[in-house]
């Protein structure tokens, strides 16, 4: 396995300008490692490294870069050379890149490409971001049903170099409608005369071109596929999504869910590459928005100011009680956000989980009440201890139910359940906690006649 | 594609007891869909459904069940039939199941299996949970370097039915040391006389048997592998992990990270299957533990009780200020937890991100101070508004830096960075917020001479 720590040796070769030795050294590296080595450098230096490789590897490695890196590099690579690299890239990565180029860069690039590539780019670039169409590749292998296994193998052998995978081929009719899929394994094990029609799975799992990419990745995982075919509205085969691209999509979607759960807007391409302005602009709106939630707690406190002035010891327990409501809510929300994302739980399960959450919340609340009743007695005496314990039971249940329900509610409104971030749930649970706490304290302890 | 909503028709067939019609209907279903249909039913009914299928499909579908479902079913399936199913399961799933059976069930099962299967189970079951060894399968295809492409293909053709994949085969010497790997694609494209030694990648990416499963999944994703070979301490090939199993591991690890970020202990097999007791026991310890964090806030308040009694208006802003510190901290923590999990950020980056966090935190703090200064003036007058605004700037920075640093600190202590849950960060940031707020207020506003 290539080791990225070889870098000092590479540095020496770069300094000596020994391109031949560099080529020999880098040839044994994996594309992903090469991409990492090169991406961290200034564009001109990156290009001088990349250019020692043969063209097909240049295209492979280039395809591994994040799009911003590709765009920086595109500026220093000559137009003709860039066209060569782009022509050798896999069709999905090429379309991705094209979508992010400036109109001027697009105009400069297109004439240097062959007609077929231009059309392929235009077609793939036309699908909405986040859909199957936007992540699929056109480099798939097709067969027709009347071919024999031998003929099919001959065809695949010839076409393999230009295809993303030949381990799964797709059977289409003359109008390119998807009829089935065949595994290479079945083709090589079959008697040479068997037809593709006999060997194919006539009910393959497929995706629609406008299907959410998250759903596509989920199908690939669920059915253990090497690739999934993508069809348009007329059931015509238009592309495939391979297992490795599906895995990348799954990782991207998880990162997005994490950011949402942390109340951060979607940051493309990782925190490392993100500028300070991006980080600020993805965090500030949520923080400011949550101020209004927290003000509710403030107004709750203002409303009960007289109670607080009378029983100042109550303030000691305030952070504890509202934080416990928020924490229980965060727990419930994160569990539901993830379960809804994996499909373990669906919308109609809300009733079932409400019942369970009430039961678990009650048990948790009682535990917490027990845990703090000693401190309640010590700091506030029996009356305040009682108020604190009862409040604890109620706010843990309320927080849990809010946290559990919010992801369902968001999902019901066709919003992403992950928007039920820990901070959002905490803010809501805090406000509920303030009202329950001081409301119950006022009722139970009473106010001195004024 | 099979549609799980066909269930009513299936119900009718089950009620009529029409096993032949059932078999025909279920034959076209995908394993994953069948597993979902069957797993939700009581064990006897589940077994009567499963038993209409041919043995190899029984084993496939059985392998798709979560282990608790397998164990429930194992109780109603006769010992001999269970042994047949287990013998047909893929070797990794078989070892998983065996690991969870009671000693009595293990004793009952082993004698019914063939010698080779017994040894395979014992060997695979001996690896620690969460390692490459625990998730690998023994059903991989091997070749030797001197074979010609034609001979290699003949061997793979014969062995394919018993292997998890033949798309990647592994080249070993007489002592079974890993020499390289060969793609089926390259074998079928090569001239028949080319040797395996000429075709193989002599530096394949591999995993060690005791390597963390998360790392294994990461390698499969990074290098776009169909499968990764696993070697023991003597570089001997002992198994492979296929891309679909790697994808399952990645999903499992993400779910665990989500649960940790939500301050919930690891729940196996999803919230749906989890019992109320499990849910309680995974949540209560964290909630109780966090009480102590929140008590710090309480003691902070107690320390400044005189200030609070003098300037009661300060309490109005308390939830807002400590929540803002907690929210900024949650944002920073979730970003870092995920970045550390994907490898986007590594331990030595702390210094870099500290600088960035200070800058972003300052900008966020100023924004927040601006956002609430109007309310500060309205509710508390210029002096309190000033105290609140300055506090806001400071606590947002402090919260951000705590949230950003905690995942690094945990990682440095060889703990999972995801333990830096939103509730934990919030608790710490809350306490810091209380001290900053009332400390500054006391210093700036002063106390009446008493």
């Amino acid at each position: 396995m290539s080791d990225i720590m070889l870098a000092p040796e590479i540095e020496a070769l770069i300094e000596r300008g020994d391109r031949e030795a560099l080529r020999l050294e880098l040839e044994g590296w994996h594309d992903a490692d090469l991409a990492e080595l090169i991406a961290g450098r200034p564009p001109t230096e990156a290009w001088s490294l990349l250019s020692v490789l043969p063209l097909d590897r240049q295209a492979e490695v280039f395809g591994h870069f994040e799009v911003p890196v590709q765009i920086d590099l595109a500026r220093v690579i000559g137009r003709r050379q860039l066209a060569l690299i782009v022509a050798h890239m896999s069709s999905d990565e090429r379309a991705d890149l094209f979508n992010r180029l400036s109109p001027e860069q697009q105009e400069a690039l297109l004439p240097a490409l062959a007609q077929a590539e231009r059309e392929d780019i235009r077609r793939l670039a036309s699908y909405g971001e986040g859909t199957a169409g936007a992540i699929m590749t056109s480099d798939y292998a097709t067969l027709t049903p009347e071919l024999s296994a031998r003929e099919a193998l001959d065809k695949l052998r010839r076409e393999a170099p230009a295809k993303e995978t030949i381990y799964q081929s797709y059977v289409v009719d003359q109008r390119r409608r998807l009829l089935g899929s065949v595994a290479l394994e079945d083709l090589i094990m079959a008697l040479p005369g068997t037809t593709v029609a006999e060997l194919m799975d006539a009910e393959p799992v497929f995706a629609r071109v406008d299907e959410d990419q998250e759903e596509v990745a989920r199908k690939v995982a669920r059915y253990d596929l090497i690739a999934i075919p993508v069809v348009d509205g007329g059931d015509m085969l238009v592309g495939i999504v391979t297992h490795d691209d599906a895995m990348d999509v799954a990782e991207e979607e998880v990162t997005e869910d994490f950011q949402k759960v942390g109340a951060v807007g979607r940051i493309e391409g990782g925190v490392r590459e993100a500028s300070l302005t991006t980080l600020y602009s993805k965090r500030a709106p949520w923080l400011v928005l949550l101020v209004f939630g927290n003000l509710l707690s403030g107004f709750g406190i203002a409303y009960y100011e007289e109670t607080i002035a009378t029983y100042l010891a109550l303030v000691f327990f305030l952070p504890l009680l509202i934080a416990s409501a928020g924490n229980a809510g965060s727990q419930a929300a994160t569990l539901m956000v993830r379960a809804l994302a994996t499909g373990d739980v669906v919308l109609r399960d809300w009733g079932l989980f409400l019942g369970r959450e009430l039961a678990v919340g009650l048990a948790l609340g009682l535990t917490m009440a027990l845990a703090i009743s000693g401190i309640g007695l010590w700091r506030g005496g029996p009356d305040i201890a009682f108020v604190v314990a009862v409040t604890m039971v109620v706010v843990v249940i309320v927080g849990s139910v809010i946290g559990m329900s919010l992801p369902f509610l968001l999902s019901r409104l066709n919003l992403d359940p992950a928007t039920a971030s820990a901070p959002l749930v905490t803010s809501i649970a805090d406000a509920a906690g303030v009202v329950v706490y001081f409301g119950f304290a006022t009722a139970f302890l009473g106010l001195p006649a004024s």
Side-chain angles (χ1 to χ4, degrees), chain A:
Chain A
M1 207 192 124
S2 309
D3 188 341
I4 205 83
M5 297 308 288
L6 279 174
E9 292 178 33
I10 305 285
E11 301 295 344
L13 291 178
I14 296 174
E15 253 172 49
R16 293 214 316 268
D18 191 340
R19 293 176 62 85
E20 184 53 24
L22 256 180
R23 192 186 60 74
L24 282 173
E25 168 61 34
L26 296 184
E27 212 160 46
W29 284 44
H30 287 271
D31 295 335
D33 295 328
L34 269 177
E36 188 173 318
L37 174 81
I38 296 176
R41 295 165 189 267
T44 21
E45 195 184 326
W47 169 233
S48 82
L49 265 176
L50 190 62
S51 61
V52 306
L53 298 170
L55 183 60
D56 56 333
R57 297 253 5 233
Q58 285 182 22
E60 285 284 348
V61 174
F62 196 81
H64 269 80
F65 296 140
E66 301 277 346
V67 174
V69 177
Q70 290 178 340
I71 290 180
D72 285 348
L73 260 173
R75 291 208 190 90
V76 302
I77 304 180
R79 198 178 81 183
R80 263 199 60 224
Q81 186 63 26
L82 182 64
L84 281 174
I85 292 178
V86 167
H88 279 79
M89 282 171 75
S90 71
S91 77
D92 48 343
E93 286 162 358
R94 189 164 62 191
D96 261 8
L97 169 62
F98 188 78
N99 258 338
R100 309 294 193 81
L101 291 174
S102 68
E104 297 76 44
Q105 286 173 308
Q106 293 181 346
E107 284 307 312
L109 189 62
L110 280 181
L113 294 172
Q115 169 81 8
E117 283 149 9
R118 284 206 299 270
E119 276 171 16
D120 186 57
I121 287 183
R122 283 226 184 82
R123 197 174 57 85
L124 287 181
S126 71
Y127 296 108
E129 207 178 335
T131 64
I135 54 168
M136 72 188 184
T137 172
S138 321
D139 305 329
Y140 53 89
T142 55
L143 297 171
T144 43
E146 77 291 349
L147 290 177
S148 69
R150 187 204 308 269
E151 290 164 334
L153 280 172
D154 283 341
K155 180 171 191 286
L156 293 179
R157 220 175 260 131
R158 280 194 310 272
E159 297 181 354
K163 305 300 178 191
E164 289 254 323
T165 184
I166 56 164
Y167 294 147
Q168 203 71 39
S169 343
Y170 301 92
V171 187
V172 291
D173 63 14
Q174 296 96 316
R175 291 178 44 206
R176 243 193 144 68
R177 271 185 312 209
L178 179 66
L179 300 176
S181 75
V182 188
L184 182 63
E185 178 169 351
D186 292 330
L187 284 173
I188 70 164
M189 290 202 302
L191 294 173
T194 326
T195 63
V196 165
E198 291 169 83
L199 292 170
M200 73 183 187
D201 171 5
E203 287 191 50
V205 176
F206 63 89
R208 299 257 164 220
V209 78
D210 54 358
E211 206 166 309
D212 191 319
Q213 61 173 6
E214 192 168 7
E215 184 56 32
V216 177
R218 207 183 287 167
K219 282 183 182 170
V220 171
R222 178 178 172 95
Y223 298 105
D224 298 341
L225 304 176
I226 296 245
I228 188 170
V230 181
V231 300
D232 67 10
D235 289 339
M236 234 100 82
L237 181 63
V238 288
I240 64 168
V241 176
T242 54
H243 68 96
D244 47 317
D245 288 342
M247 210 163 170
D248 293 345
V249 165
E251 187 178 309
E252 198 184 292
E253 293 283 343
V254 165
T255 299
E256 201 184 317
D257 277 359
F258 256 90
Q259 290 168 353
K260 283 203 179 137
V261 162
V264 181
R266 183 168 170 231
I267 298 173
E268 263 184 272
V271 277
R272 175 178 286 282
E273 283 77 30
S275 68
L276 294 182
T277 333
T278 306
L279 287 174
Y280 170 80
S281 68
K282 298 296 177 178
R283 291 172 61 179
W286 268 112
L287 282 185
V288 173
L289 206 67
L290 289 168
V291 164
F292 297 97
N294 300 133
L295 278 179
L296 287 182
S297 305
F299 286 115
I301 288 173
Y303 184 81
Y304 292 109
E305 201 161 85
E306 214 177 333
T307 309
I308 298 171
T310 315
Y311 305 99
L312 212 56
L314 289 174
V315 183
F316 175 84
F317 298 98
L318 179 62
L320 176 60
L321 289 169
I322 64 178
S324 297
N327 291 344
S330 295
Q331 290 184 327
T334 5
L335 285 179
M336 281 306 129
V337 166
R338 181 64 186 154
L340 285 166
T342 58
D344 188 26
V345 168
V346 292
L347 209 50
R348 64 170 178 276
D349 289 330
W350 179 73
L352 167 71
F353 280 92
L354 177 63
R356 293 169 55 132
E357 197 63 40
L358 284 170
V360 173
L362 177 64
L364 290 172
L366 289 171
T367 309
M368 295 291 284
L370 204 68
I372 57 145
S373 54
I375 306 160
L377 274 174
W378 168 51
R379 301 276 327 171
D383 281 356
I384 290 206
F386 180 73
V387 169
V388 168
V390 171
T391 302
M392 184 61 102
V393 177
V394 176
V395 297
V396 166
I397 296 177
V398 169
S400 295
V401 169
I402 291 172
M404 185 278 299
S405 302
L406 198 56
F408 281 100
L409 179 66
L410 290 164
S411 185
R412 183 75 189 71
L413 300 172
N414 286 321
L415 296 169
D416 189 332
T419 315
S421 62
L424 178 61
V425 169
T426 302
S427 293
I428 301 176
D430 279 2
V434 166
V435 174
V436 171
Y437 184 33
F438 293 124
F440 180 60
T442 310
F444 183 76
L445 301 173
L447 282 177
S450 53

